[in-house]
Amino acid sequence: MTAKTMNQTEANLRATLTTLAERWEQMAKAAPDFDGDELFIDEPTPVQLQQFERATTYGRAAADLREVLRVGRIPHGLMTDAELDAHGAAQ
């Protein structure tokens, strides 16, 4: 594989991962907003709570993926003990 081909492959991979992060962010926005200014009379339904949790997970995954693309390593919160030792624990 030539250097040019490797650069194209990496660029394509980065574009694909960026698109994936964008889609996860869109999915995260579809959740019910429990932090808004609206007054809730009724408790959220189990379905709404599941939608909210799923959206939170999608949003975190998108942020983690963007972090990996930006800095080139796994985010601190997802590192194993061995990785934390190698990179230094956060103070």
Side-chain angles (χ1 to χ4, degrees):
M1 190 177 271
T2 66
K4 182 178 179 182
T5 305
M6 287 177 57
N7 287 339
Q8 287 177 324
T9 301
E10 183 174 344
N12 290 342
L13 179 60
R14 286 181 166 278
T16 300
L17 292 174
T18 299
T19 300
L20 181 60
E22 289 169 356
R23 289 187 184 171
W24 284 343
E25 288 165 345
Q26 287 174 338
M27 293 171 79
K29 290 178 185 176
D33 181 16
F34 296 138
D35 294 329
D37 295 333
E38 299 176 22
L39 179 62
F40 285 102
I41 308 279
D42 298 324
E43 289 291 318
T45 66
V47 170
Q48 288 174 318
L49 290 173
Q50 289 173 351
Q51 290 171 333
F52 181 79
E53 289 299 321
R54 188 170 31 255
T56 301
T57 301
Y58 280 130
R60 183 73 251 156
D64 288 343
L65 185 52
R66 289 193 181 278
E67 172 95 0
V68 168
L69 290 169
R70 188 173 55 81
V71 299
R73 66 173 189 232
I74 297 172
H76 185 270
L78 297 176
M79 286 185 178
T80 64
D81 289 340
E83 290 166 332
L84 287 171
D85 289 341
H87 292 287
Q91 300 296 331

